[in-house]
Amino acid sequence: MILILRFLARVLTFVLLVVLALVGLAVAVFCVQGGDGTLSPAGLADLVRLPDLRDEVAGLLATVEAGGPVAALTALCGAGAVLVGLALIVGATASRRERLVTASRGGPGALTAKRRILASVAAALAEQSSGVTDAKGRIRARRRRPGGVLRLKLEHTRPSDPSKLKEQVETDLADLSEGFSLKVRLETKLAEGAGRVQ
């Protein structure tokens, strides 16, 4: 979700900068002449029909102040705009640092690893177990304590016993899971024809 908000914030920022640059260029061009000339601020106001816009906005504000369904709809649109603005602010200011899995906090430093790399290592170790044809892992790191949760989805061959397979994989991952304080959660399913044959 944060990635989507970041993308939207970047796109909207770019679009607003382009629009602002074009508006600034237009104002600069229309400031060449003074007074009421064609290339003057007054000429620009007439071109974009600012007086008509002022009258329409005045009518809308009068309708909103009077209450009723138009006022309610306007209030909802305003609240929606505020929520969209807050979401874009979150997307623009959210931390971009990837959360790391911490193995140890003792001493002057801490041993850490990136979640994706650690999950790839765990999947590679699991695939070495007899009967496993494919493994995909994800790690959710703890915020304030070392370790996290390692979830592995295993595909296995038909003769393999899932319970024995889980025990074997847990044994193969013991050094990694203990070193990084990972709780291992395994899911098994029978491999389809695309899996690697043991």
Side-chain angles (χ1 to χ4, degrees):
M1 183 66 178
I2 293 295
L3 292 176
I4 296 174
L5 292 176
R6 270 188 212 150
F7 174 75
L8 290 175
R10 288 178 182 174
V11 170
L12 187 60
T13 301
F14 176 76
V15 170
L16 288 177
L17 287 175
V18 170
V19 170
L20 186 61
L22 293 175
V23 169
L25 180 62
V27 171
V29 168
F30 275 90
C31 287
V32 171
Q33 294 178 344
D36 296 330
T38 305
L39 295 178
S40 65
L44 179 61
D46 290 337
L47 182 65
V48 297
R49 299 184 178 178
L50 284 183
D52 297 338
L53 180 62
R54 179 193 60 197
D55 295 339
E56 290 180 10
V57 170
L60 175 64
L61 292 177
T63 305
V64 170
E65 290 175 357
V70 175
L73 180 60
T74 305
L76 286 176
C77 290
V82 169
L83 291 177
V84 169
L86 290 174
L88 291 174
I89 289 172
V90 169
T93 60
S95 175
R96 298 181 184 179
R97 257 180 38 188
E98 183 180 357
R99 192 182 302 170
L100 301 176
V101 182
T102 305
S104 170
R105 290 190 182 274
L111 177 64
T112 59
K114 291 185 176 181
R115 292 183 298 166
R116 290 181 183 176
I117 294 175
L118 200 58
S120 298
V121 170
L125 289 173
E127 286 180 353
Q128 293 178 3
S129 300
S130 178
V132 177
T133 60
D134 190 34
K136 294 180 181 177
R138 292 187 67 183
I139 293 179
R140 188 181 67 204
R142 295 192 184 105
R143 288 184 180 270
R144 303 187 182 191
R145 291 184 296 150
V149 177
L150 167 63
R151 296 179 184 274
L152 273 177
K153 294 182 179 179
L154 307 173
E155 292 186 4
H156 61 88
T157 55
R158 187 174 296 277
S160 302
D161 181 8
S163 60
K164 291 182 179 178
L165 186 67
K166 285 183 178 180
E167 291 178 5
Q168 179 62 41
V169 171
E170 286 176 354
T171 302
D172 293 341
L173 294 174
D175 291 339
L176 183 71
S177 59
E178 291 173 6
F180 282 90
S181 302
L182 296 173
K183 288 185 179 179
V184 180
R185 295 182 181 172
L186 303 176
E187 297 177 17
T188 60
K189 74 172 185 177
L190 191 62
E192 299 177 359
R196 174 167 55 85
V197 178
Q198 288 280 336

